[in-house]
Amino acid sequence: MLETSARLLRLLSLLQTRRDWSGAELARRLEVTDRTVRRDVDKLRSLGYPVHAVTGVAGGYRLGAGAALPPLLLDDDEAIAVAVGLRTASGGTVAGIEETSVRALAKLEQVLPARLRDRVNAVQSVLVPLRGKGPTVDADTLAAIAGACRDRHVLRFDYRSHDGGESLRRVEPLRMVHTGRRWYLVAYDLDRDDWRTFRVDRITPRAPTGPRFTPREPPAGDAAGHVSRGLSYAAYRHQAVITLHLSAEAAAEHVTPTSGIIEPIDDSRCTLRVGANSLDGMAMWVSLFGCEYEVREPPELVERMAVLAARLDRAVTRSRRE
């Protein structure tokens, strides 16, 4: 049988892994009586842990959210994930949390066992972030949007477009998507009666939020797919559909979610949907894949490919003559 302090830690760990536990199941896991479980629950409550009683035939317990954050129990993998995540956040794309992340990381590393600290340091010592100079997002803005998505509240915000123009938007927020470089909000624009994608760094939320709404049927696919289509295909002057003689897995090595959309056809072919403002650039990019392919649309791309092919052929002929 576990000592009291060890048993309390074990009980707390169990309560954190699942929403509801019956008293009998906790007693069986801890190898104690139901009465001991009740006493241990009272001790956790006296330490500030909000353990709620769950009504039902057998009765039970649930760990709730308290006014203050009590200590958490993390297993080895969870502790490493949190530590690496905090170090990444300290230099990421969310403004205003760098210093907070460093403070939280210092607290965590202070209590990490030596074996885990060595593993975290080993991972971090070989990671070299390639940071761009792109826009950062305010942490309060992220929190406000996330709360509206979770609670299904209409969100009002001032939005700055790419040309600097500003407009007031009223939307039913669905999800936020992070591409690794930028944050995007997928939402239903009530004034334009359609789904829209907004860059979060251009959003200034207005308070308070609007009324609750009933979720609509989301756009085709998921929110991430909707953003991918907008960034890689729909937003450009020219859109193309190309059959690649590559498997979807092999094509994904050349195409990121923000540069194109891959749809498998069979084990050796896939469809590439891609957008660009230059047909010449699109033609040259696809030719670098090193595979056979056919352009299904638009016909203008085929004509530009013919012009480029003739130009390359003339360059080869002149180069050989020299």
Side-chain angles (χ1 to χ4, degrees), residues 23 127 164 190 271 275 279 299:
L127 291 180
L190 294 172
T271 296
L279 289 175

Side-chain angles (χ1 to χ4, degrees), residues 183-202:
W183 292 82
Y184 295 89
L185 168 66
V186 178
Y188 191 86
D189 193 313
L190 294 172
D191 296 320
R192 290 155 180 80
D193 198 26
D194 197 6
W195 290 98
R196 291 288 190 270
T197 300
F198 303 94
R199 271 180 48 176
V200 175
D201 60 285
R202 295 175 177 170

